Amino acid sequence: RGQLLCHLNENRLYVKRVRVALKCNMEKRKGKAGKGNKKNRFRFESFNERIGNIKIDVVHRVGQVSETPEDRETFFYESLQKWQELNCTHHFGAFYQEVRGITQLLTQLVHHKDAIIRSLVKHLQVKDSLAYEPLLDLVVQLARDLHGDLYPHFTSLFPHLVALSNVHDPHVIQCVFNTLEYLFKFLWRYMVVDIVAVYNLYSQLLVGSQKPHIRRFATESFGFLIRKVKDQESFFRVVFRSLDSSPELSEGVGHLLFEVCKGVDTKFHSCSVKVLPLLLSLMGDAHLPVQEVLKALTIMLELMAEHTRREHASFLWDCLLSHTHHLHSQWQRCGTPEEASQLKWMLHLVGTLVSWRNGDRISKGEQVISTLQDMITDTGLPDDVMGVATRVVASLLLGRLSALSEAHPLLMGVVEDVFKRTDKAGVVVEFCMELALKYVRFTEDILPRCVDYCNALCRNDDIIVSSVLLLLARLCMLYNPAPSGNHGDEKKEVTFGLRLDGLNREAIHGDGCPISYLEAVLLKALLWSGKEEQLCHCWAALICVQYASPISAAMLQSVTELYTSLGAMVTNLGSTPNRDVKDKLLFVRAQAMVVLITGLGTRELLSSIPWGSVVDMLRLHPTSLPLLVSSYVYLQKVSLLEDNSVLTCEELVCLLPLLQLNLSSPSSKVRLYTLKILCQFPQLQLLTSADVSSEENEGPRGPVRVLSNALDAEQHFADLSSYRDRLLALQRLKYFSGSFQRLPDVYREVAIRYLIGNLYLNLKLMWQPVLDIICSYATESNIDFFWSVFGDYLSSSSDLATGGVWLAAGLHPVIQEAPEHAYSLPSLLSFSLSRSHADEIGQPDHANVRQLLWQCLGNVPEVAEPRSRIMVPLAIKYVQEEYFRGEDQMVVTQNLRNNESGDVRGTGDEEAIVGDESLMELEAVVMAADDAPDIKAIGGGVASHGNEQRRVCATGKGKRELTKTLLVILETFSKFKNPRAFYRQEELWQLYVKLLTHSDPDVQKLTLACLMTSKPPYLVPYKDNLERLLEDNTFREELMNFCPESECSVVSPDHWKQLLPLLLRVLYGRLQRQGGGGGHNAGGKVGVAIRRGAVLRFLGSCGSHEVGEFIKLILVPFQSLLELPPGTRYKVDPDVVVPLRKQQGFLHLLSHLLTTLGLKLESFLDTLLPLLLHILSSSVQLLEQRQLIEAFYVNSVKQLRQLAMNRLIETFSLFPDYNYTVYHDYIFSAAVWPQLPRLPQECVQHPTQLMKLVYTWCQHASLFHLLAEWTPQSPSLLYHVYSCLSTPGVSEEVCGYVMEMSLSLLNNGRRKEEEE
């Protein structure tokens, strides 16, 4: 025993030592791995990453290729045995069993090659096979064995290889293209003989619709074969000729040509020396599609530029430049249009390589410049060729080459040659504009030459003169942008000037003084004849004159005359409806005024432009921003005079009433320049205590600082970085009774108007502080004054929010067009006009401002409540004319006709295919009905035929904004104390009652709060209960307190009759809600189902009267159908249909009512059954004339028919003893006859709704008489039912249905006999 214990201890020690050693080794390995290889080698790779890592260039793979197999007689059998061990899948096993006995010997392989290839093709066609890789490898080995004997079968193998290239497995894709390249490698001697047929077969992989990686792999594999072609010129002609019939091949052909020329690393293949010149020579072939060939070569050149580097690009430049010289020489000799076109396309290719990465691939800059100089100096070169050449020159200037000291003088020489071409004015103008936008040295290198060139051009005709004005005006606008309205913009230094003193003075002015041709053109353009078409020339000339140096007296005289004539024209127009013409006149006149301000002295300015004329124009057009800007510049110039009669307090008193409306303008520019104008004048003094009645108003006398405080606030931009500074400045406008009472009367409205204008700021953080400052003016002593200003804005906000006259506020739509795209003077003038009016906030949000104004009233209800004659009509107008028209629950009809779009949003949810009804079960109540019985009278409008405007529902953000505004209005009304004294109080009460059915719980809560303000005795005791009823968490528990049969009911019997209509409307709104929970943390569809079940169970506990009231709410959208006499068939019109979503919602809700209420609905069948048949009949009629309705709605109508049939079946099952005699014919015309002839064909796999309806009739003896119905055109019902048994392929389910019907008929007949 002792020896055994010692032996065990030794073993334990040994095991312990081994474990310690192993642990140390593991820690060392982990440490080394952590130090040397921190990156995870087994990282997940996406599909695109795996595709990018694929390499299929088998030609350059290193490794010795054996000509004979090592162990077997054929490569095919050797590979077959290898894969038989590596791939044990069922797919490969089946192939192995087919070919294993006929591939051991080469003679067998040759003899049975057809069978082997057929077997390969068959197994390659297996979808999602696990043997793709071995099968593709066997195709390669078969090519190694058979060589030329396989080529006749290549055309049968290729389509199946192409099909495999579209799988979503990168490994299979790699195997496919490796297989193709190996086939090219082993069969190229046979393929090059028939290269055209191979290309036609392979081109399907090059089309633009192919995936990019497929196209890349295809070009990489096919490029090897093209290098082996001997007659490459003929082959390339065939390739380019194929682009004529298949232009989508252009991109793929470009990639293919690049792969032919591509070499290893960043070099090119040796065949490129022959291929590239050949391709360039084919570009001018008249028998080839020029544009497609040019596109392919451009793509090829771009890929080559991406592939190579500058040190290896000399070969490209040698080819391009030598061919360009050759084409230029041919053009000089022949001068044909074909030669010019070839030269233009060649220059286009040169430009592609020049502009690549800002000239990074230019290795022979001097040769390129020399070639372009030869082109530009050629006087006979056409305009289009010259245009391409100048664009290449511009690319050189914009690239890296121009930064080199040795290349810059050469480029300037080319630029000099460009400006010598006065016969190519349009080309030179575009050259200047392209450089003006991007060239950093434009003012030093290009601008002086441009002005001299314009002076030289002005000798020619009017078309060139227009080009000169356009060029100079665009340059002036580019380098001297108009002020944006932000502070400090008017102090920007001029960065561009037209120096006129250095020009040649060869023209003669009317007074005999020599002037330059450019000055003569400007003077001529300033002579306005009164035509609108000439305004753009006058404006362009004014822009040039403004930045010209020096400005001659003749120019100033012409500008003065133009200013006077424009002012007279604006005055004569008056209130013309053509606003565009007036805006252009004001804009040009303001530009003329700025020119005069710039060129005239102060006293000369006052004599030429009297201040009275400026005031008269401001009186006519106070919101014109160009007029405001020019008036401010005018006052700045006038302020330099120490003694002037313009800047006085009296003038301020006259001007302030004219411009104070601008202080609330949505445009920050209008507000800013209005304040700047007003602040130029000396301000009035604060009133002393002797001038006011209150002693608390005593204080030091000084100038009024309201306008300066407002200007200080406006000059702080409202963004996240500076809005706090703006708020601090606005706080100085807060109302203080002492200082406000001392204000002169002319200032009293300034602060409120300016604060309301700040509500247009597109920054939510500003809104509430501004509202608080506005509310500070609603004090007891100031209420009347506050309402006199605020009430006007509240009334006008509705018109502005509904798309009213927002242009009258001095705003214009923003034209999203940059000045570099304005290629004519009229378009440039239009752009400048729109840019001058465009505000940084874009189109003003009047709807949001209206919400804020109502929210402000909610903060001061004591101000609003006594003025119900203004408040109530505005609220009712909003709900009736905006909210009800924009809410999809309130829309009455829908247009399904295919030549017009439908009127109802939301039918996009109706595309579900006819099938299981449970898919839409949980959306039942949401789409059920309209809001209230008489919403149609309030909301207006049923869509009808003719030219009546149909109502369109708000969508997305617009719908949310409508609801948000409604909530703000309701919240304001919920704070009032005595609504019984309101104007139109009864109408307002009815509106509250209707809004109780809203699906939004927030609307219901605020509506209930509005109702509570009247303190009705039957409602006030249950306020807390109703509020808890609107909460998701307490809804079910609180609903039990309203159950009339419950012992814990909180409703007094005396209040029940008056409370019931309101309670049902609340429950109906809760039933319509799509989201939310149902209590006990149940949300989503489960919560909706729980809430719906609770409401329906509550109805089940109520009496017939309560159920009837609830059903009336459901049937509101179908009032037009219910008005038809009993049994009358409804004839549907696709133009006017009850919205499909409402019909579907009603049918879903009806199913739950039948399930929950059961026999309680029997007394309402006289109403529900006709409506159900109307819906079924309308869906059948729409499907019969489906060519008249939008295809988008067909599936929805099919689903509607299925739902209606299901409800009809449930009705017959639940009420078999009901008297259906009145509706007998209607039932068959809507539900039976239209579908009966197709019953045997449709009941093959599953019973249709018609079969289920007949099955239901067979279950009840009281309905047997319906089975005997027939028409002369159709046999009896049972005939068609039993015909289903003889239909080929009928399922057991259908046969079982028919047998059960037969058994039911027999059992009921036997039971009747036994009873007798």
Side-chain angles (χ1 to χ4, degrees):
R1 179 181 294 179
Q3 293 177 354
L4 181 60
L5 290 175
C6 291
H7 182 66
L8 289 174
N9 290 331
E10 291 176 356
N11 287 341
R12 289 172 182 168
L13 291 174
Y14 176 78
V15 171
K16 186 175 181 180
R17 292 193 190 101
V18 170
R19 287 179 178 174
V20 172
L22 289 175
K23 185 176 181 181
C24 293
N25 289 336
M26 291 296 294
E27 290 176 354
K28 289 180 181 179
R29 290 180 182 178
K30 289 181 180 179
K32 291 181 180 179
K35 293 179 181 178
N37 189 13
K38 295 182 179 180
K39 186 177 180 181
N40 183 11
R41 294 177 295 171
F42 303 101
R43 184 179 64 86
F44 171 78
E45 292 183 343
S46 65
F47 178 79
N48 290 333
E49 290 175 333
R50 295 175 65 189
I51 287 292
N53 294 332
I54 292 177
K55 305 295 181 184
I56 62 170
D57 189 9
V58 300
V59 178
H60 296 94
R61 288 184 181 175
V62 179
Q64 185 177 2
V65 179
S66 175
E67 296 295 333
T68 57
E70 297 179 0
D71 300 328
R72 310 290 179 180
E73 188 172 341
T74 63
F75 290 106
F76 187 90
Y77 190 69
E78 185 179 45
S79 180
L80 186 67
Q81 294 299 316
K82 179 188 73 173
W83 286 110
Q84 195 268 336
E85 296 178 359
L86 296 179
N87 192 306
C88 300
T89 62
H90 169 72
H91 300 104
F92 185 75
F95 171 77
Y96 180 80
Q97 294 298 327
E98 293 182 11
V99 300
R100 65 173 182 173
I102 57 176
T103 58
Q104 290 90 339
L105 303 176
L106 183 60
T107 53
Q108 287 181 312
L109 200 65
V110 173
H111 181 71
H112 297 287
K113 64 178 183 296
D114 295 338
I116 295 172
I117 291 173
R118 283 195 301 271
S119 181
L120 281 170
V121 169
K122 183 181 73 172
H123 288 277
L124 285 173
Q125 290 176 330
V126 176
K127 188 176 181 181
D128 298 330
S129 174
L130 299 176
Y132 286 145
E133 183 179 3
L135 291 174
L136 293 171
D137 180 61
L138 288 171
V139 171
V140 175
Q141 306 307 323
L142 189 63
R144 294 180 68 183
D145 287 324
L146 298 181
H147 290 282
D149 291 336
L150 180 66
Y151 179 67
H153 300 277
F154 177 76
T155 55
S156 61
L157 281 170
F158 184 78
H160 306 290
L161 297 178
V162 171
L164 286 179
S165 66
N166 291 315
V167 300
H168 200 70
D169 187 349
H171 183 65
V172 174
I173 295 174
Q174 181 178 11
C175 293
V176 169
F177 285 99
N178 279 336
T179 301
L180 287 172
E181 190 151 2
Y182 273 119
L183 290 177
F184 293 151
K185 181 177 181 179
F186 297 133
L187 304 178
W188 69 268
R189 291 181 177 84
Y190 313 98
M191 289 184 174
V192 293
V193 180
D194 195 19
I195 188 63
V196 175
V198 176
Y199 169 75
N200 292 333
L201 192 66
Y202 208 75
S203 61
Q204 58 182 302
L205 293 176
L206 305 179
V207 295
S209 58
Q210 281 286 2
K211 299 175 182 178
H213 62 272
I214 299 296
R215 193 166 56 244
R216 176 170 68 87
F217 296 150
T219 55
E220 289 180 5
S221 59
F222 196 52
F224 160 78
L225 187 62
I226 297 178
R227 299 190 194 110
K228 304 292 185 179
V229 177
K230 294 182 178 180
D231 189 4
Q232 291 183 335
E233 181 178 357
S234 300
F235 172 70
F236 287 138
R237 286 184 183 275
V238 172
V239 172
F240 287 152
R241 198 174 292 116
S242 66
L243 299 180
D244 194 10
S245 57
S246 303
E248 65 275 7
L249 286 173
S250 300
E251 187 175 355
V253 169
H255 282 265
L256 179 61
L257 298 178
F258 164 68
E259 290 296 334
V260 173
C261 300
K262 179 183 176 183
V264 295
D265 296 332
T266 58
K267 301 178 182 179
F268 295 103
H269 198 273
S270 58
C271 71
S272 302
V273 180
K274 177 183 177 183
V275 171
L276 187 56
L278 178 60
L279 294 173
L280 295 178
S281 64
L282 291 176
M283 186 173 56
D285 195 331
H287 302 288
L288 299 177
V290 177
Q291 296 299 327
E292 285 73 19
V293 172
L294 180 62
K295 181 180 178 181
L297 293 179
T298 303
I299 293 173
M300 176 198 71
L301 202 60
E302 290 175 350
L303 293 173
M304 295 173 79
E306 178 70 24
H307 169 70
T308 189
R309 295 295 178 267
R310 184 186 304 173
E311 56 270 17
H312 300 143
S314 299
F315 153 71
L316 291 177
W317 287 111
D318 290 338
C319 293
L320 292 174
L321 295 179
S322 62
H323 196 69
T324 304
H325 280 297
H326 173 69
L327 291 176
H328 189 209
S329 301
Q330 284 186 347
W331 154 255
Q332 290 177 330
R333 288 195 306 269
C334 304
T336 60
E338 291 77 11
E339 300 293 340
S341 299
Q342 294 181 41
L343 185 57
K344 181 181 69 172
W345 301 327
M346 194 65 223
L347 286 173
H348 173 77
L349 295 179
V350 173
T352 301
L353 196 57
V354 164
S355 60
W356 183 261
R357 293 188 178 177
N358 292 328
D360 187 59
R361 298 296 186 265
I362 300 177
S363 60
K364 296 189 176 183
E366 295 182 1
Q367 291 88 329
V368 176
I369 295 173
S370 176
T371 302
L372 292 172
Q373 197 163 18
D374 293 340
M375 300 288 175
I376 291 171
T377 55
D378 188 350
T379 56
L381 210 63
D383 289 353
D384 54 349
V385 182
M386 181 70 179
V388 178
T390 55
R391 283 196 291 272
V392 178
V393 174
S395 299
L396 287 172
L397 287 170
L398 296 173
R400 300 179 181 179
L401 188 63
S402 64
L404 301 178
S405 58
E406 63 273 10
H408 190 265
L410 297 176
L411 282 174
M412 289 300 101
V414 178
V415 172
E416 289 284 357
D417 293 333
V418 170
F419 282 110
K420 291 178 183 178
R421 299 301 301 274
T422 56
D423 56 330
K424 307 292 183 184
V427 174
V428 179
V429 167
E430 291 305 318
F431 171 74
C432 293
M433 287 310 305
E434 186 173 359
L435 290 177
L437 296 172
K438 302 174 184 177
Y439 189 40
V440 293
R441 293 177 52 86
F442 179 81
T443 55
E444 295 85 0
D445 295 342
I446 307 299
L447 182 58
R449 297 176 173 87
C450 179
V451 176
D452 292 336
Y453 181 77
C454 292
N455 185 50
L457 282 181
C458 291
R459 305 179 183 183
N460 298 320
D461 54 17
D462 294 338
I463 298 178
I464 294 182
V465 168
S466 299
S467 301
V468 170
L469 291 174
L470 175 63
L471 171 62
L472 295 178
R474 290 172 70 182
L475 290 176
C476 291
M477 291 177 59
L478 181 65
Y479 283 91
N480 304 282
S484 65
N486 296 328
H487 58 89
D489 279 348
E490 68 281 353
K491 298 181 181 179
K492 289 184 178 178
E493 296 184 358
V494 175
T495 60
F496 173 87
L498 294 176
R499 301 295 302 178
L500 303 180
D501 49 358
L503 301 177
N504 295 327
R505 297 179 177 273
E506 302 175 358
I508 304 298
H509 189 244
D511 56 1
C513 298
I515 59 174
S516 65
Y517 284 104
L518 182 55
E519 290 179 271
V521 167
L522 294 177
L523 289 172
K524 182 180 178 180
L526 290 172
L527 299 176
W528 186 47
S529 61
K531 297 181 180 179
E532 182 185 352
E533 302 81 31
Q534 199 182 353
L535 269 179
C536 57
H537 292 80
C538 297
W539 169 79
L542 288 170
I543 292 291
C544 298
V545 171
Q546 181 180 357
Y547 301 106
S549 176
I551 303 178
S552 64
M555 284 187 181
L556 291 175
Q557 180 63 29
S558 299
V559 174
T560 304
E561 294 174 359
L562 176 62
Y563 173 80
T564 305
S565 59
L566 287 172
M569 179 63 72
V570 171
T571 305
N572 294 334
L573 285 176
S575 58
T576 177
N578 193 343
R579 184 180 179 86
D580 292 337
V581 176
K582 185 184 293 185
D583 288 340
K584 289 181 181 178
L585 289 172
L586 287 171
F587 184 61
V588 178
R589 185 180 183 274
Q591 184 63 43
M593 185 175 176
V594 172
V595 173
L596 292 176
I597 295 170
T598 304
L600 294 175
T602 306
R603 298 195 182 276
E604 291 83 358
L605 178 63
L606 287 175
S607 61
S608 299
I609 308 177
W611 171 243
S613 64
V614 178
V615 174
D616 292 339
M617 197 58 63
L618 286 173
R619 182 178 289 106
L620 292 174
H621 308 284
T623 61
S624 174
L625 183 60
L627 183 57
L628 292 172
V629 174
S630 59
S631 301
Y632 169 65
V633 178
Y634 177 89
L635 290 175
Q636 272 190 320
K637 188 72 172 283
V638 171
S639 65
L640 299 177
L641 280 177
E642 295 182 0
D643 53 337
N644 62 77
S645 59
V646 175
L647 299 178
T648 62
C649 294
E650 291 76 12
E651 293 293 337
L652 175 64
V653 173
C654 296
L655 189 61
L656 187 54
L658 300 180
L659 299 182
Q660 65 180 358
L661 288 178
N662 289 353
L663 300 177
S664 58
S665 171
S667 172
S668 63
K669 296 180 184 180
V670 173
R671 296 195 303 269
L672 177 63
Y673 280 101
T674 300
L675 289 169
K676 285 184 175 182
I677 290 173
L678 296 175
C679 287
Q680 287 292 320
F681 293 87
Q683 304 299 304
L684 299 179
Q685 298 293 315
L686 290 170
L687 301 177
T688 61
S689 58
D691 300 321
V692 294
S693 59
S694 177
E695 295 181 357
E696 66 178 2
N697 299 324
E698 295 183 2
R701 185 179 177 86
V704 178
R705 300 189 54 83
V706 174
L707 290 173
S708 59
N709 291 337
L711 178 59
D712 186 26
E714 190 63 36
Q715 287 179 334
H716 290 92
F717 192 70
D719 57 10
L720 289 176
S721 61
S722 59
Y723 83 95
R724 293 180 179 86
D725 298 331
R726 187 175 182 123
L727 283 177
L728 289 175
L730 288 174
Q731 287 295 332
R732 294 198 291 269
L733 296 176
K734 195 169 184 180
Y735 176 83
F736 295 102
S737 60
S739 59
F740 187 80
Q741 292 295 332
R742 297 178 60 199
L743 285 178
D745 294 340
V746 73
Y747 287 99
R748 289 182 178 272
E749 298 181 9
V750 169
I752 299 179
R753 293 186 185 277
Y754 176 68
L755 289 169
I756 291 175
N758 275 265
L759 296 178
Y760 284 99
L761 296 176
N762 191 18
L763 186 64
K764 190 175 182 179
L765 294 173
M766 292 284 298
W767 297 341
Q768 189 56 49
V770 172
L771 290 179
D772 294 339
I773 299 175
I774 294 175
C775 292
S776 67
Y777 284 83
T779 60
E780 294 182 0
S781 60
N782 196 43
I783 287 180
D784 294 335
F785 167 75
F786 171 78
W787 187 258
S788 65
V789 179
F790 189 88
D792 293 339
Y793 282 104
L794 184 66
S795 301
S796 61
S797 63
S798 298
D799 297 331
L800 293 173
T802 53
V805 289
W806 68 282
L807 288 176
L811 298 174
H812 290 250
V814 179
I815 299 177
Q816 300 295 336
E817 178 189 14
E820 61 267 20
H821 298 304
Y823 293 116
S824 65
L825 284 175
S827 61
L828 187 62
L829 174 59
S830 299
F831 168 78
S832 302
L833 179 61
S834 65
R835 188 180 65 174
S836 68
H837 287 88
D839 202 69
E840 56 270 14
I841 64 171
Q843 184 172 338
D845 192 353
H846 294 293
N848 180 67
V849 173
R850 176 174 60 181
Q851 292 176 17
L852 295 175
L853 293 177
W854 279 99
Q855 184 178 340
C856 182
L857 283 184
N859 296 335
V860 286
E862 66 278 0
V863 176
E865 188 167 0
R867 292 160 180 84
S868 63
R869 286 190 172 272
I870 298 176
M871 299 273 294
V872 174
L874 287 176
I876 294 177
K877 180 183 177 182
Y878 169 75
V879 176
Q880 292 178 351
E881 298 184 5
E882 293 185 55
Y883 186 76
F884 282 167
R885 291 176 184 268
E887 177 63 37
D888 54 0
Q889 296 179 11
M890 312 300 173
V891 177
V892 180
T893 62
Q894 180 179 9
N895 180 15
L896 305 182
R897 192 173 292 274
N898 57 12
N899 58 351
E900 295 177 328
S901 59
D903 292 334
V904 178
R905 185 191 68 82
T907 50
D909 297 332
E910 300 159 7
E911 70 275 3
I913 304 299
V914 177
D916 187 6
E917 188 178 326
S918 62
L919 294 177
M920 292 185 64
E921 193 175 53
L922 295 176
E923 299 180 7
V925 251
V926 181
M927 303 178 289
D930 213 326
D931 251 66
D934 45 351
I935 273 183
K936 179 168 148 187
I938 289 184
V942 179
S944 60
H945 297 289
N947 296 323
E948 293 185 27
Q949 184 179 4
R950 292 186 172 91
R951 295 186 290 136
V952 182
C953 285
T955 60
K957 182 180 178 181
K959 182 178 177 181
R960 292 193 298 271
E961 290 299 322
L962 286 174
T963 305
K964 186 177 178 181
T965 304
L966 177 65
L967 291 173
V968 173
I969 294 175
L970 291 175
E971 185 176 7
T972 301
F973 277 84
S974 66
K975 296 179 180 180
F976 295 149
K977 304 299 182 182
N978 186 23
R980 293 182 181 273
F982 275 7
Y983 175 66
R984 298 170 67 178
Q985 191 271 337
E986 291 295 332
E987 190 174 350
L988 191 62
W989 177 269
Q990 292 299 324
L991 191 63
Y992 292 155
V993 172
K994 292 170 179 59
L995 288 175
L996 274 182
T997 61
H998 202 283
S999 59
D1000 190 337
D1002 294 330
V1003 175
Q1004 286 186 302
K1005 291 175 185 177
L1006 288 174
T1007 303
L1008 184 62
C1010 292
L1011 291 172
M1012 290 294 179
T1013 57
S1014 299
K1015 299 180 177 58
Y1018 57 87
L1019 197 60
V1020 173
Y1022 316 108
K1023 177 182 177 181
D1024 295 338
N1025 302 93
L1026 290 172
E1027 289 176 351
R1028 287 193 294 270
L1029 193 65
L1030 295 174
E1031 298 292 338
D1032 291 334
N1033 295 331
T1034 59
F1035 171 72
R1036 286 196 296 170
E1037 291 77 3
E1038 196 60 44
L1039 187 59
M1040 295 300 298
N1041 294 331
F1042 288 94
C1043 185
E1045 298 180 359
S1046 175
E1047 297 179 356
C1048 58
S1049 177
V1050 297
V1051 182
S1052 171
D1054 298 336
H1055 298 160
W1056 179 252
K1057 184 177 181 180
Q1058 293 174 299
L1059 180 63
L1060 177 64
L1062 300 180
L1063 177 63
L1064 291 178
R1065 289 178 180 274
V1066 171
L1067 295 179
Y1068 181 68
R1070 301 292 290 162
L1071 196 66
Q1072 287 189 103
R1073 189 184 178 197
Q1074 191 172 8
H1080 300 292
N1081 298 324
K1085 293 185 176 182
V1086 176
V1088 173
I1090 292 174
R1091 188 169 61 245
R1092 179 191 61 216
V1095 172
L1096 295 179
R1097 285 192 297 272
F1098 173 80
L1099 288 176
S1101 65
C1102 296
S1104 298
H1105 174 69
E1106 290 82 359
V1107 175
E1109 292 295 325
F1110 190 81
I1111 290 178
K1112 287 181 181 179
L1113 293 175
I1114 298 173
L1115 300 181
V1116 168
F1118 309 98
Q1119 292 298 323
S1120 59
L1121 301 182
L1122 296 176
E1123 293 173 358
L1124 297 176
T1128 304
R1129 299 179 184 180
Y1130 170 60
K1131 187 175 181 180
V1132 68
D1133 182 0
D1135 290 333
V1136 185
V1137 180
V1138 177
L1140 298 181
R1141 292 190 64 185
K1142 292 188 177 183
Q1143 296 187 52
Q1144 291 176 350
F1146 165 74
L1147 294 174
H1148 283 297
L1149 185 56
L1150 180 59
S1151 174
H1152 296 294
L1153 289 174
L1154 291 171
T1155 303
T1156 306
L1157 302 181
L1159 297 177
K1160 279 190 175 183
L1161 290 179
E1162 185 171 7
S1163 58
F1164 306 103
L1165 277 185
D1166 293 338
T1167 303
L1168 296 175
L1169 183 59
L1171 178 57
L1172 178 60
L1173 293 175
H1174 291 327
I1175 294 175
L1176 179 58
S1177 176
S1178 65
S1179 62
V1180 171
Q1181 294 178 56
L1182 288 173
L1183 290 176
E1184 289 176 351
Q1185 47 185 344
R1186 66 182 64 190
Q1187 71 279 1
L1188 300 179
I1189 66 174
E1190 286 280 0
F1192 176 77
Y1193 297 113
V1194 172
N1195 282 337
S1196 299
V1197 176
K1198 288 181 179 179
Q1199 187 181 39
L1200 190 64
R1201 181 185 63 183
Q1202 177 179 341
L1203 293 174
M1205 287 291 293
N1206 289 340
R1207 299 298 86 79
L1208 188 62
I1209 294 169
E1210 294 170 4
T1211 302
F1212 277 109
S1213 299
L1214 191 59
F1215 307 105
D1217 299 326
Y1218 180 77
N1219 185 11
Y1220 296 98
T1221 306
V1222 180
Y1223 312 104
H1224 184 276
D1225 295 338
Y1226 202 0
I1227 292 172
F1228 276 86
S1229 63
V1232 179
W1233 302 135
Q1235 304 179 57
L1236 188 61
R1238 302 189 303 271
L1239 185 64
Q1241 290 78 25
E1242 295 178 350
C1243 283
V1244 177
Q1245 299 297 328
H1246 304 284
T1248 62
Q1249 268 64 35
L1250 180 57
M1251 175 73 79
K1252 295 177 180 179
L1253 179 63
V1254 178
Y1255 177 85
T1256 303
W1257 290 348
C1258 293
Q1259 305 303 311
H1260 306 280
S1262 59
L1263 302 176
F1264 280 178
H1265 65 281
L1266 298 174
L1267 301 173
E1269 190 69 21
W1270 64 283
T1271 62
Q1273 294 80 16
S1274 176
S1276 66
L1277 267 175
L1278 294 178
Y1279 172 82
H1280 289 87
V1281 170
Y1282 286 112
S1283 298
C1284 296
L1285 297 176
S1286 60
T1287 304
V1290 64
S1291 64
E1292 294 182 0
E1293 183 182 3
V1294 175
C1295 294
Y1297 248 74
V1298 176
M1299 293 298 102
E1300 287 184 17
M1301 285 190 285
S1302 303
L1303 183 61
S1304 178
L1305 289 172
L1306 293 173
N1307 289 338
N1308 278 288
R1310 187 180 301 109
R1311 190 179 304 111
K1312 185 176 181 180
E1313 292 178 357
E1314 292 175 356
E1315 291 175 356
E1316 291 177 354

